[in-house]
Structures are given as C-alpha cells and as structure tokens.
Amino acid sequence: MSKKVLVLPGDGIGPEIVAEARKVLETINLQMSLGLELSEALVGGAAIDATGIPLPEATLNAAKQADAILLGAVGGPQWDSNPDFQIRPEKGLLGIRSQLGLFGNLRPAILYPQLAHASTLKPDVVSGLDILIVRELTGGIYFGQPRGYRTKENGVREGFNTYVYDENEIRRIGRVAFEAARARGKKLCSVDKANVLEVTVLWREVMNELHAEYPDVELSHMYVDNAAMQLVRAPKQFDVVVTGNMFGDILSDAAAMLTGSIGMLPSASLDVDNKGMYEPCHGSAPDIAGQGIANPLATILSAAMMLRYSLNAGEAADRIESAVSKVLDQNLRTSDIMSEGMRRVSTSEMGDAVVAALAE
Ligand code: NAD
C-alpha cells in the first residue's frame, strides 16, 4: 500500500536541506520497497511570494491527505516587516500544527560520540547523550484565554496570559511520553512547577494516575528550575522528559544546545494517530542560505523519525541513522560541525555520502 509523504521545502536553507533528505528517502524507498509517494507544496515565505498567504488551501489540503509531512524551515528577514501577523511565514507552520491537531512534539537531543567536542560542556558530561523531550504543543500559556495587552484606568499598561490545561490535554501528552519511555530506557521525568502553579498541580496528579497504566516505566517529577540546572549539570540522568508548551520550548532548546550542533537535531510533531510533521530543530538560516554549506543531517534524521513514528518503517529509520553515523565515522563534516583533521563537505556532498553509506 502506498504512503503519501508531503514535502514542504519552505524558505532559506529549507529547499537545500530538503533536497538531500529527498535523495535519502528515495534511496531507502527503492531499497526496501516502502511504497512512499513524495509530493511537494509551498509553505511560509515561498507561499506568501507565490500566493499572498503562508498556508495556501492547496497545501493545507495536501497536508490533511498525507500520511506524513517533511518540512525544511520557514522564515526570513524579507517577510519580517509585514505588520499583518497573519502574513508571516511562521503562521504557515502554526496553521498546519493547529489544523492537524499536532499536539505532541518529540525532540531528541542526541550527541553522536564523534561530535562530543562540538558541545560547550565537557565531553564526559555529554558524550553519548540521548534524551527525548516530549513537549505539549497546542495548549498551555501560549494559547490560553483570556490573553491581552491593555492600559488600565490609571494609565498603567499591563499584559496578561492564561496558563491552562485540562486533564484530557495532560493525559494525551502523558501517554505519548509514557509510550516513548517504554520503547526506550523506561525512565520518564515529568517537569512542572507544582510548588507555585495550580495548573501543574493537576499536571502532576494526572501523570501519577497514568503511571498506574505503565508500571514498567519509572516516573519521577522535577520542578522546571531544577530541571534546567540538571540538564546542564548531569544531562545523562534523563531518558524521556515530558512537560508543557512553554517549559518544553525553553528546555528543549537548552537540551539541543548541549549537543552543540543544531544542524544535527530532528523533531516530530504528532497527532493522536501518530500522523505527524517532521522538521529539523533549526530555522531557515538566512545567513547561509544559497551557499550550499548548510548541514542536511537534521532533516535527514527527521525523515528517519518520520519513517519510524508515522510510516511504520522502523528498520528503514535504523538504517538511515546508522548511515549518518557512518558518514561521521568517515570524518565528513559540514562547516557547522567542522573540526581539525576532518574533511569539510558541502550540503549535497553530505547528502550523497549518506546515500552511499545506505548502499553499503
Ligand atoms: P536558525 O536556526 O535559522 O539559525 C541560527 C544559527 O544556526 C545561524 O547562524 C545559522 O546559520 C545556523 N544554522 C541553522 N541551521 C543550520 C544548518 N542546518 N547548518 C548549518 N548552520 C545552521 O535561527 P534564526 O537565525 O534565529 O532564525 C532564522 C529564521 O528562521 C527566522 O526567520 C526564524 O523565524 C526562522 N525559524 C524557523 C523555524 C522553523 O521553520 N521551524 C524555527 C526557528 C526559526
């Protein structure tokens, strides 16, 4: 049975890195007869230029019909000055996430031992790091009502937001995290601020209730401020971390930086049926776009996650991940992960090397 993959190159380095991920997907598709059908559509700034809006109807429809979506990145300074926030590239992504109900964000922070020097932390603290941060993506303080910015009667300005989760929202992201922990190291740390925020008192209660369904997973709780400290002090203590939208936004970026190489980190955003959108953690890198020097590995690893989580092709995902490890063993490096004694390669040379490693 064929599986539809919608590819959204986006802006900046997006088209360059996605072209390499396509090469890899097409190779594994042939090798393993996966039945993938790839098609492309416009999103973000590229869609604004072509149609006037960041998420054209045709793209949204194609996204709804696809089994999985692979995205490059969106955004760039040429679209940032538009005063209408609806016509910003990022609205294209937010639109897909909300229209498809992609509430579960999975962000692995993996440090390949070959790149241990790329971290600002000591190699023994981070070498072999393998954490998965599960972040709730469609609720919490970023979406809670009421919200606003106003001037009070006394002339003083105030801004306000609402941090709210109901138990169903907490339970569904909790399940994603418990399932992920069950498939990995069987340790789950739930991060909250239950000493201060009632919404996270509920968060903790629901996580404890869910734990009864996953007795094989060891559950712990940590306040977010301590979690931030522990992530930089001893990150290897974590296996899977689950948290709300805002805490997850911050902690996942901190975890990404432990690896020192943003060009290596994939991510997934899933709905209740594990349909998802997959994208590198980094943005569209306008500063290096068009130069052929961007690292395509985060996008290639996102394609591997897509095969594993949405397309039921775990073995294909394993093969891609080991091909990436092989090219690192061959000392091939794009500029962002370059170090002494290594061979500098371009975006397409890196993609070709992964394809060659797959064929071995
Ligand atoms: P960025 O991640 O695009 O770039 C940060 C730095 O990392 C830059 O120096 C860039 O050159 C480098 N970098 C990023 N990816 C790289 C790669 N694959 N290989 C080598 N180097 C890489 O973040 P930014 O500069 O803050 O944002 C640039 C644009 O991207 C903005 O318009 C922003 O809104 C957008 N953005 C989009 C997404 C997304 O599409 N999901 C995410 C973050 C930022």
Side-chain angles (χ1 to χ4, degrees), residues 13 17 71 73-76 80 90 93 262-263 279 281-288 293-295 336:
I13 60 170
I17 52 180
L71 170 82
V74 298
D80 283 351
E90 293 73 16
L93 288 196
I262 196 167
E279 57 183 304
C281 287
H282 58 73
S284 56
D287 53 334
I288 58 165
I293 58 171
N295 186 345
D336 57 311

Side-chain angles (χ1 to χ4, degrees), residues 71-290:
L71 170 82
V74 298
Q78 61 271 52
W79 300 286
D80 283 351
S81 52
N82 195 326
D84 182 351
F85 270 79
Q86 295 310 316
I87 310 295
R88 293 278 181 91
E90 293 73 16
K91 280 284 168 191
L93 288 196
L94 295 176
I96 294 182
R97 281 182 192 152
S98 64
Q99 292 280 329
L100 269 61
L102 305 179
F103 69 93
N105 188 214
L106 270 51
R107 283 184 57 168
I110 297 170
L111 184 56
Y112 286 84
Q114 300 96 316
L115 300 179
H117 65 274
S119 174
T120 48
L121 272 69
K122 291 188 198 120
D124 61 304
V125 176
V126 288
S127 183
L129 180 79
D130 183 358
I131 308 178
L132 177 67
I133 302 216
V134 178
R135 165 189 170 196
E136 201 290 327
L137 204 56
T138 54
I141 196 165
Y142 291 174
F143 293 92
Q145 296 287 348
R147 60 189 295 159
Y149 177 101
R150 64 191 169 201
T151 303
K152 297 194 287 187
E153 277 171 15
N154 62 4
V156 174
R157 288 169 297 163
E158 78 176 356
F160 56 98
N161 292 86
T162 302
Y163 189 177
V164 58
Y165 273 120
D166 72 26
E167 60 179 304
N168 295 331
E169 290 173 299
I170 301 170
R171 203 170 288 115
R172 73 178 182 176
I173 192 70
R175 274 191 212 290
V176 170
F178 272 107
E179 293 287 343
R182 179 172 266 177
R184 293 173 39 110
K186 297 195 166 43
K187 273 171 61 181
L188 176 63
C189 178
S190 170
V191 170
D192 61 37
K193 190 73 184 171
N195 50 343
V196 178
L197 298 169
E198 285 82 351
V199 54
T200 70
V201 171
L202 176 65
W203 180 280
R204 194 175 276 220
E205 267 174 32
V206 174
M207 290 295 161
N208 281 330
E209 288 161 15
L210 266 181
H211 189 205
E213 292 175 37
Y214 298 89
D216 51 323
V217 175
E218 184 191 315
L219 173 68
S220 61
H221 301 278
M222 200 179 271
Y223 296 138
V224 63
D225 41 349
N226 187 24
M229 284 200 295
Q230 296 301 327
L231 262 182
V232 286
R233 191 187 72 84
K236 285 194 263 184
Q237 71 184 281
F238 296 107
D239 175 22
V240 179
V241 172
V242 62
T243 190
N245 204 343
M246 179 170 61
F247 297 161
D249 190 3
I250 300 164
L251 292 181
S252 61
D253 268 19
M257 273 300 107
L258 295 174
T259 72
S261 44
I262 196 167
M264 296 294 302
L265 297 172
S267 78
S269 305
L270 303 177
D271 76 359
V272 275
D273 300 315
N274 280 352
K275 170 170 167 170
M277 179 159 74
Y278 296 80
E279 57 183 304
C281 287
H282 58 73
S284 56
D287 53 334
I288 58 165

